[in-house]
Structures are given as structure tokens and as C-alpha cells.
């Protein structure tokens, strides 16, 4: 594997530079004096930000973008071997790295890298830890899978010993990381276009846990079925959080404050503590416990940690308030897995509203097909569901399914459900059908957020 010497800046090219993680890595290298160039299929706020910071950005991926003066080309898992830039890099025999490999190499430059993994909750928990580390004055470097208003983006470049990053299991990306502190928030079936089944996913998380050194710490959700199978024989210290009193961190009581957030009295190894959050959802109490466990392990002042969690306003696209139209409250959420959908719709139930509308954009054909029944049951918790076409992301094979299949299953459960393929039709339908005091949630990992934004701005 090509090794970047971070003390000798070179020319790094990013194929897919506009992605949330790739753009962040590019920004870190720019700060370190590297020459950065890269391409993406379309311009965005992220590519514009990089351009202003000194990167050379190409719109469209073409062979001529790859030049012999490039020292290393970085690819995401979405780039296939028939990509013209990939083929040209191979022809020129240029060094290449995956996004995850570059992130792993960056981690080695910090004495205490912190990696947050799990099927759900990574961005929120990474953001919580980030807020705590900043409040404690540790000057951390941050790489977050979403936009955090307090840092004006998804990247913060610090001079302290801490590097806080998300660790995604897809294509085993997190196995390229070198965490001193690792978190496993939960493990469920997902990314079944790569993994064979749940046991295959658990095997990868076990390998991730083994990346933690003997003087490190693994923080794991004790509610994961047979979690001991993942931690058995590890040389590092293991800390658990979860619902049961057998965990190191667990709730004694949880209360909803409606739109104002959540509170909980929790038990920790240092005694009882009171959590207060300005974000909704019982699941976020558990995310906060995991973040607090990490902060405690790093000997952060407990009062500073609790205050930072209380001040945390959430990450963008995580139950984010977008505005109103005709008295209808519009929320946007990134949920794209049945468990996430259930958590979001449950949180919405604590907010005053008339009818709850969920406008869902399924994400990838493989996930939709594999979890079709679970998606139907989760979405049926809304009063009215509107489905758009499936967002294909990296996939080209529709596997013989469409959102019409999901619409039939949701309707069969007794929930009013509509399938309207394009955003324009959805916007017109909602503008006509939603009434005063309804709540509308746009939901999915694609670009469904545009629907709510268009309604609010109309």
C-alpha cells in the first residue's frame, strides 16, 4: 500500500471529491500544505469551499483529469474499475488509495484517534463527542459524516492529540482505521449488497474491535445480541452501555420534554448523572451515554461533558427543522434503515401535530429489497406515507423492484400510502393535501430534502 509522508506535501487527487468524507480529507491535506485536485459529477457547496481553499476542481470524471504529476489518486468505494479516471490512473501506474486507507493513515498522526462505528447513530454520536472535546479545550481534529453548525461544516482541523472520526462498515472501510478508542453503537442487517448476512457483518465488527490496542478502549452497546462474542479475548479494556443494569452506563429513568428534548438520570461507574438533551428521541439518550463514556475515558471534566451534551443542537439532516408552509411543520431526517425510521417517527410522536406525514425516498435497490417487510412496518407508524422513486446511489441493477412494491405492503398494513415517482408531483400533492398543524418529515439518505425545502420556500 502507498504510504503518504505527511511531512512532505505532495499532489493528491480525489476521485469523488465532493462527497462528505472525501471533501473533509481533502480539506485536511490542504491545511497541511498538500497540492489537492479532484473531480465530482456536479458542483456543490463542498466543491466550492474546496476551490476557495486552493483545490483544483473538475466537474465530470474524465481521463484527461489524471496527469502524470499526481503522486496518489484516492477513490471511494462508489468508483468502479471502468471509471475513466480509475483506468487512466492504472495506465499511468499512479499510486492509489481508498478513502478509508487515507483516513487510516491520517489517524496515525494523532496519539488518540477515536472511531465511532455502528449501523445507526454514527454521525450524531461523533458530533456529540466532538462538541465535548471542543468544550473541554482539547483542540481536536474532527471528521464527521454530516454537517455540524458549530464548526461550519463536517471538518475541523486542530492541533491537539485527538482525531474524532466516523467508522463506516460498508466494504469493510473501518478495518483500515487505527483507533485508540473505538465505539460500536449497534449492529444490524444493512449494506447487504456487500455483506452476505448478519453473521458476516458481525464478523467484520469483531475484526474492527480487534484493531484497538492493548492500552486502548472499546465502548460497545451491551444490548447487541451476544456481544461477548465480539469482545472475547480482546487485549483492550471494554466498557458497555445499554438498557440493562449489567452495563457500565445505563438509564435509571428517561423522560420526554416534547419539542424541548429529552432528559435521563443515568448510572455510570462514577455514580449517577443527569443528562439533558435539546434533541428528540430516546435513541439519542443512548448515543449520549456512549459519548459520555468516551469523554469519561479521556478524563474530561464531567460537568463540561454534560453541559456540552445539553448545548448540542444536533447535526444537519437529523430531525432538522426546515420551516413551515401553510401552518405545516417541515422536518428533515437522514433515516434510511427501518430501525432509524422507527426511532425518528417515535420521536415525532412527542411533538404536537395533527397528522404525521412521512415522505420517504428508499435508498438503494438492494437495501429496499432485503428489508422490504421491515420498511413497511416502520413506515406504517406514520399517518400518511408518500414514496418517491428509489435513490439508486451506486447501484445500476433495480433487482426487479420499485417503490410501488413497498407502497402495496404499507397499504396492506392499513396506512394511507401514495407512490409519486418525481419530486414535482410530490410537492404539488403535499401542497394540496397537508393542512394546518400537520407535521411533514422528508426522510432518506438521498436528495429528498429538496422536497421540504421547496415547500418551505414557495
Amino acid at each position: 500500500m502507498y504510504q503518504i509522508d505527511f511531512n512532505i506535501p505532495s499532489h493528491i487527487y480525489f476521485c469523488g471529491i465532493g462527497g462528505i468524507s472525501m471533501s473533509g480529507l481533502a480539506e485536511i491535506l490542504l491545511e497541511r500544505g498538500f497540492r489537492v485536485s479532484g473531480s465530482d459529477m456536479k458542483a456543490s457547496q463542498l466543491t466550492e469551499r474546496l476551490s476557495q481553499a486552493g483545490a483544483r476542481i473538475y466537474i465530470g470524471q474524465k481521463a484527461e483529469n489524471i496527469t502524470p504529476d499526481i503522486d496518489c489518486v484516492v477513490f471511494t468505494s462508489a468508483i468502479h474499475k471502468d471509471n475513466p479516471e480509475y483506468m487512466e490512473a492504472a495506465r499511468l501506474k499512479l499510486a492509489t488509495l481508498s478513502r478509508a486507507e487515507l483516513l487510516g493513515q491520517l489517524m496515525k498522526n494523532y496519539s488518540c484517534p477515536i472511531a465511532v462505528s455502528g449501523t445507526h447513530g454514527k454521525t450524531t454520536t461523533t458530533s456529540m463527542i466532538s462538541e465535548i472535546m471542543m468544550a473541554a479545550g482539547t483542540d481536536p481534529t474532527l471528521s464527521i459524516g454530516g454537517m455540524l453548525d458549530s464548526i461550519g461544516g463536517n471538518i475541523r482541523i486542530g492541533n491537539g492529540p485527538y482525531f474524532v472520526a466516523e467508522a463506516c462498515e460498508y466494504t469493510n472501510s473501518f478495518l483500515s482505521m487505527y483507533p485508540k478508542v473505538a465505539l460500536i453503537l449497534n449492529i444490524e442487517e444493512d449494506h447487504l449488497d456487500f455483506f452476505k448476512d448478519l453473521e458476516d457483518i458481525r464478523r467484520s465488527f469483531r475484526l474492527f474491535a480487534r484493531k484497538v490496542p492493548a492500552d486502548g478502549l472499546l465502548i460497545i452497546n451491551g444490548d447487541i445480541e451476544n456481544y461477548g462474542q465480539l469482545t472475547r479475548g480482546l487485549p483492550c479494556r471494554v466498557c458497555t452501555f445499554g438498557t440493562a443494569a449489567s452495563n457500565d452506563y445505563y438509564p435509571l429513568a428517561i423522560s420526554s420534554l416534547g419539542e424541548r428534548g429529552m432528559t435521563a438520570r443515568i448510572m455510570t461507574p462514577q455514580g449517577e448523572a443527569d443528562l439533558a438533551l435539546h434533541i428528540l428521541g430516546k435513541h439519542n439518550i443512548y448515543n449520549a451515554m456512549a459519548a459520555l463514556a468516551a469523554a469519561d475515558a479521556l478524563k474530561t471534566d464531567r460537568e463540561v461533558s454534560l453541559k456540552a451534551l445539553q448545548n448540542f443542537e444536533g447535526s444537519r439532516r437529523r430531525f432538522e427543522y426546515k420551516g413551515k408552509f401553510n401552518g405545516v411543520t417541515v422536518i428533515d431526517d437522514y433515516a434510511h434503515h427501518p430501525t432509524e425510521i422507527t426511532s425518528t417517527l417515535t420521536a415525532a410522536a412527542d411533538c404536537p401535530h395533527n397528522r404525521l406525514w412521512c415522505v420517504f425516498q428508499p435508498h438503494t435497490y438492494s437495501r429496499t429489497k432485503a428489508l422490504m417487510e421491515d420498511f413497511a412496518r416502520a413506515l406504517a407508524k406514520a399517518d400518511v406515507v408518500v414514496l418517491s422513486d428509489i435513490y439508486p446511489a451506486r447501484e445500476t441493477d433495480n433487482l426487479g423492484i420499485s417503490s410501488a412494491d413497498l407502497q402495496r405492503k404499507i397499504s396492506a398494513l392499513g396506512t394511507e400510502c401514495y407512490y409519486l415517482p418525481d419530486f414535482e408531483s410530490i410537492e404539488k400533492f403535499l401542497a394540496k393535501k397537508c393542512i394546518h398543524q400537520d407535521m411533514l418529515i422528508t426522510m432518506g439518505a438521498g436528495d429528498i430534502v429538496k422536497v421540504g425545502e421547496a415547500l418551505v420556500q414557495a
Side-chain angles (χ1 to χ4, degrees), residues 48-117:
E48 178 59 29
R49 174 171 168 157
L50 288 171
S51 181
Q52 291 177 357
R56 182 169 185 178
I57 306 296
Y58 300 93
I59 301 304
Q61 293 171 344
K62 304 172 184 177
E64 54 261 38
N65 297 341
I66 306 297
T67 54
D69 64 319
I70 294 170
D71 294 293
C72 180
V73 182
V74 181
F75 296 100
T76 69
S77 57
I79 302 300
H80 300 294
K81 291 184 178 181
D82 60 353
N83 180 282
E85 293 186 352
Y86 188 100
M87 291 191 294
E88 183 65 8
R91 190 185 72 80
L92 294 175
K93 297 182 179 179
L94 298 179
T96 62
L97 287 172
S98 69
R99 177 203 63 83
E101 288 168 342
L102 172 56
L103 179 56
Q105 289 189 24
L106 265 173
M107 277 188 164
K108 290 182 176 180
N109 289 274
Y110 298 83
S111 60
C112 189
I114 303 164
V116 182
S117 75

Side-chain angles (χ1 to χ4, degrees), residues 7 13 50 65 138 149 169 175 199 258 265 326 371 451 458:
N7 295 312
Y13 186 94
L50 288 171
N65 297 341
T138 63
D149 286 340
E169 74 274 18
L175 299 186
E199 191 54 42
R265 175 163 283 262
N326 299 334
L371 304 175
V451 169

Side-chain angles (χ1 to χ4, degrees), residues 108-308:
K108 290 182 176 180
N109 289 274
Y110 298 83
S111 60
C112 189
I114 303 164
V116 182
S117 75
T119 311
H120 326 294
K122 291 186 293 293
T123 296
T124 296
T125 307
T126 304
S127 299
M128 287 175 166
I129 295 172
S130 299
E131 295 286 10
I132 293 171
M133 293 291 97
M134 289 190 291
T138 63
D139 195 17
T141 295
L142 312 173
S143 177
I144 304 170
M147 306 299 280
L148 187 61
D149 286 340
S150 61
I151 62 174
N154 65 311
I155 283 289
R156 181 187 189 275
I157 301 167
N159 295 305
Y162 301 109
F163 186 112
V164 186
E166 290 189 34
C168 180
E169 74 274 18
Y170 183 59
T171 68
N172 283 329
S173 292
F174 60 178
L175 299 186
S176 295
M177 298 185 181
Y178 300 91
K180 182 74 170 290
V181 177
L183 290 81
I184 299 179
L185 302 176
N186 36 63
I187 301 175
E188 292 191 44
E189 285 185 305
D190 199 9
H191 301 303
L192 295 175
D193 58 327
F194 176 76
F195 294 109
K196 296 176 183 177
D197 49 30
L198 182 58
E199 191 54 42
D200 191 25
I201 296 170
R202 287 175 61 90
R203 192 177 300 114
S204 287
F205 274 94
R206 164 68 176 172
L207 293 173
F208 173 68
R210 290 173 61 183
K211 303 282 291 186
V212 183
D215 61 344
L217 172 68
L218 173 67
I219 299 168
I220 187 168
N221 187 342
D223 292 342
I224 295 171
E225 185 176 356
N226 195 14
Y227 80 89
Q229 183 186 54
L230 305 173
T231 61
R232 192 174 298 118
L234 294 180
C236 66
R237 186 163 65 90
V238 176
C239 172
T240 63
F241 70 95
T243 56
S246 56
N247 292 294
D248 298 303
Y249 291 75
Y250 63 91
L252 298 168
I254 299 176
S255 300
S256 170
L257 301 177
E259 291 180 302
R260 293 182 293 125
M262 307 287 296
T263 63
R265 175 163 283 262
I266 64 171
M267 181 60 75
T268 79
Q270 294 80 28
E272 294 184 11
D274 289 317
L275 272 177
L277 303 178
H278 283 151
I279 54 177
L280 302 178
K282 186 177 179 180
H283 60 289
N284 279 319
I285 293 295
Y286 293 93
N287 290 335
M289 284 197 293
L292 186 63
D296 286 348
L298 300 173
K299 302 190 184 308
T300 304
D301 182 274
R302 175 62 70 82
E303 289 188 14
V304 171
S305 298
L306 293 174
K307 187 67 175 176

Side-chain angles (χ1 to χ4, degrees), residues 276-421:
L277 303 178
H278 283 151
I279 54 177
L280 302 178
K282 186 177 179 180
H283 60 289
N284 279 319
I285 293 295
Y286 293 93
N287 290 335
M289 284 197 293
L292 186 63
D296 286 348
L298 300 173
K299 302 190 184 308
T300 304
D301 182 274
R302 175 62 70 82
E303 289 188 14
V304 171
S305 298
L306 293 174
K307 187 67 175 176
L309 289 170
Q310 184 175 3
N311 291 337
F312 176 57
E313 297 289 345
S315 308
R316 291 188 199 170
R317 299 221 63 207
R318 272 70 182 177
F319 212 89
E320 180 186 4
Y321 174 77
K322 304 298 289 188
K324 288 180 179 285
F325 75 96
N326 299 334
V328 178
T329 299
V330 179
I331 303 292
D332 180 63
D333 197 274
Y334 192 70
H336 55 285
H337 183 279
T339 300
E340 297 165 350
I341 294 168
T342 298
S343 294
T344 298
L345 295 180
T346 300
D350 289 330
C351 302
H353 60 266
N354 182 16
R355 290 180 301 175
L356 177 60
W357 292 72
C358 181
V359 183
F360 182 62
Q361 181 184 43
H363 191 263
T364 72
Y365 300 107
S366 58
R367 180 184 286 117
T368 305
K369 184 173 183 177
L371 304 175
M372 181 80 72
E373 300 291 342
D374 294 330
F375 274 119
R377 285 190 292 268
L379 289 164
K381 296 181 184 299
D383 294 311
V384 188
V385 178
V386 178
L387 301 173
S388 74
D389 270 337
I390 296 171
Y391 188 86
R394 54 193 171 266
E395 297 181 343
T396 56
D397 184 354
N398 66 17
L399 304 178
I401 65 164
S402 77
S403 291
D405 299 292
L406 181 55
Q407 187 265 342
R408 284 190 289 271
K409 289 187 177 295
I410 294 170
S411 296
L413 293 173
T415 296
E416 190 177 344
C417 185
Y418 303 89
Y419 166 39
L420 302 170

